[in-house]
Amino acid sequence: MTKVRETMDENEDFEIEQTSMTDDVEAAHEDGVAKAPPLEAVLSPLLFEVVQLSEARTFTLARHEWRVGNYRLLEEPSGVCVCTKTGLIHLYEIYNVKTGATLEPIGSECIKMFGEDRMLEEAAQLRELVQLQKIAVDRVPLDLKGHFSKRVLAGLFLHGAFQPCYANGYDAERDYEFLLGQFNKRSKPALEEIRRVDAILRRGNNSVRAWLLRRAEEYGDSIEAPFLEKGGAA
Ligand SMILES: [Zn+2]
């Protein structure tokens, strides 16, 4: 009898203890929610800003909404990123395709932080186009193998650098495809091919060189992404 009583007592004690433990857990949980750090404390100021301007509510999802909309090359390393990093020479503006929000200036390192290959590619293409423009402005004869890349050739086409004319049958894409073929070619080009490359790159008002010089005159060392130029965003 005494033994049973003891067991009951033990059980009662155990129950009481369990109840108080549950209370503690609940209290701790409530406490934890109350103390959960706000988003701006978890993310860097730039990433927080990115999420604020996005449709998605986490950076992991929000980063997919952004594209590189604009690039500017500074003469001096005097640029300051939204993240406060200083001494920048390459500055970008990023564009949210869902909300239409823009954020600038953003440095190259912060573009990388998005972890989006598409954004890196867009940034590199705009940067290479401005570099090519500087070569033309410096009066260096444009050299297909020396100054171009597949990326910059595609960028030139997207930006409308190739003009429809008699020589390409009024189809500018043919010039792009021809140059790409010549760029990839490992064997020595025929004389006719050399002449055509020369014409597309360097001769007259329809040439890539003329286009680069015209845009340098109009826009300086900055360039907008083709998807914005054509109003094709959103
Ligand atoms: Zn930055």
Side-chain angles (χ1 to χ4, degrees), residues 60-188:
T60 312
L61 292 173
R63 65 197 180 97
H64 302 306
E65 298 174 15
W66 294 82
R67 299 187 66 172
V68 177
N70 216 300
Y71 165 74
R72 188 156 40 102
L73 175 67
L74 301 184
E75 283 179 25
E76 304 282 330
S78 57
V80 183
C81 180
V82 168
C83 76
T84 72
K85 189 178 178 357
T86 57
L88 306 178
I89 197 154
H90 305 286
L91 293 181
Y92 302 89
E93 181 181 75
I94 57 172
Y95 179 88
N96 186 299
V97 293
K98 292 257 173 88
T99 65
T102 57
L103 198 54
E104 58 100 24
I106 307 283
S108 310
E109 287 304 310
C110 281
I111 296 283
K112 282 183 200 159
M113 218 153 53
F114 280 76
E116 284 279 296
D117 288 346
R118 181 174 41 80
M119 285 178 86
L120 290 177
E121 188 59 30
E122 287 170 345
Q125 192 172 65
L126 295 177
R127 200 170 56 237
E128 284 184 25
L129 282 165
V130 169
Q131 279 163 2
L132 193 66
Q133 186 181 293
K134 287 190 84 68
I135 291 167
V137 169
D138 290 344
R139 298 174 175 276
V140 177
L142 293 175
D143 175 50
L144 184 62
K145 297 270 184 175
H147 299 140
F148 290 74
S149 65
K150 284 183 208 174
R151 180 189 288 137
V152 87
L153 284 170
L156 287 166
F157 177 62
L158 286 172
H159 280 84
F162 303 110
Q163 315 291 320
C165 64
Y166 178 77
N168 57 36
Y170 298 96
D171 180 359
E173 192 168 0
R174 283 193 191 170
D175 282 352
Y176 164 58
E177 279 166 1
F178 173 74
L179 285 186
L180 188 62
Q182 291 296 304
F183 179 81
N184 289 329
K185 196 172 181 168
R186 289 179 180 266
S187 57
K188 203 165 173 268

Side-chain angles (χ1 to χ4, degrees), residues 18-45:
Q18 261 215 328
T19 309
S20 75
M21 259 178 72
T22 310
D23 286 344
D24 280 348
V25 169
E26 274 175 5
H29 182 69
E30 275 172 20
D31 214 27
V33 169
K35 280 181 188 166
L39 200 57
E40 62 263 48
V42 181
L43 296 175
S44 73

